[in-house]
Amino acid sequence: MPARIPAPVTLAGRHVTLVPLTMDHAEDLFAAGGGDDEVWCWQGGPTPRSQGELALTMRELLDEAERGTYVPYAVMHRETGRAIGWTSFLDISASDERLEIGWTWYGRAFWRSAVNTETKLLMTYAFEELGMGRVQLKTDHLNTRSQQAIARLGAQREGVLRRHRLRHDGTWRDTVYFSLLADEWPEAKKRLGARL
């Protein structure tokens, strides 16, 4: 039986809650990471310098969601109730039982915190509720911080696609792919839970 396509549902953890992204999150998101070049340098476009610029980027993401190619979530910090970043399901194929978790960012104040660990722990939804057999993550080959974070999740590095994407500055990106498979998820889930 094939897996199911993800729906824009709420996924709650102890530290964060993932809620369907809406334009109402723009103010919080800009406060969390707008204008920060380090947050945006790996996102595939220029750093938003105003809430309006961030809203344009959000509108593009939400337009993709309406076409069914993305399921974007705002990452809500439970302690403050504010949006501190976003993440998405993309490259979704129910018949192939796979999806990608990507276009993820958090405000710098939440790097190396429980936020990324718990956001990825909510992959439980992909494996245990949607029936996915593969969850992939990818990043720029120069983004070593992201590669280390993905490896800490227990994902396996699969390889590099050379000259894969044109960056907004006109240079070419090589893309590093990682994945977790359904039979690897129980052990990874246990490790992530222990880290929290």
Side-chain angles (χ1 to χ4, degrees):
M1 184 171 121
R4 293 185 297 116
I5 298 293
V9 298
T10 297
L11 303 172
R14 289 190 345 232
H15 304 281
V16 297
T17 300
L18 305 184
V19 301
L21 182 71
T22 70
M23 295 303 293
D24 293 338
H25 296 116
E27 183 177 351
D28 283 355
L29 290 169
F30 187 74
D36 188 331
D37 290 329
E38 272 199 76
V39 169
W40 289 92
C41 69
W42 307 113
Q43 293 301 310
T47 301
R49 300 291 175 198
S50 67
Q51 186 175 318
E53 287 182 11
L54 178 63
L56 289 174
T57 302
M58 291 176 68
R59 184 73 263 155
E60 290 173 16
L61 180 57
L62 292 170
D63 287 347
E64 289 293 326
E66 288 176 16
R67 287 191 279 279
T69 55
Y70 279 81
V71 181
Y73 295 92
V75 179
M76 306 296 293
H77 190 237
R78 298 222 30 190
E79 186 178 317
T80 63
R82 298 182 63 120
I84 58 168
W86 71 47
T87 192
S88 300
F89 289 135
L90 60 143
D91 193 15
I92 303 160
S93 173
S95 60
D96 293 320
E97 299 179 352
R98 68 167 164 77
L99 58 73
E100 180 177 324
I101 295 177
W103 208 7
T104 301
W105 69 269
Y106 313 107
R108 195 192 311 217
F110 300 95
W111 292 359
R112 296 298 303 245
S113 72
V115 167
N116 187 51
T117 301
E118 188 164 67
T119 298
K120 297 308 186 287
L121 183 58
L122 295 174
M123 284 191 290
T124 298
Y125 174 65
F127 287 117
E128 297 177 15
E129 295 185 42
L130 298 177
M132 294 296 171
R134 170 188 168 85
V135 171
Q136 73 181 25
L137 304 102
K138 67 179 187 274
T139 189
D140 192 300
H141 75 288
L142 298 177
N143 190 349
T144 56
R145 184 181 58 79
S146 180
Q147 290 174 54
Q148 292 164 357
I150 293 169
R152 281 193 304 272
L153 300 172
Q156 298 297 308
R157 181 182 167 121
E158 294 182 321
V160 178
L161 294 184
R162 298 178 302 153
R163 201 177 187 272
H164 182 225
R165 290 180 54 186
L166 185 63
R167 295 187 188 100
H168 75 282
D169 67 1
T171 62
W172 286 95
R173 158 184 155 159
D174 293 350
T175 300
V176 183
Y177 274 81
F178 293 81
S179 71
L180 269 166
L181 304 182
D183 61 348
E184 299 166 340
W185 176 242
E187 186 58 35
K189 179 181 176 183
K190 193 182 309 178
R191 278 196 313 273
L192 289 170
R195 287 181 55 199
L196 287 174

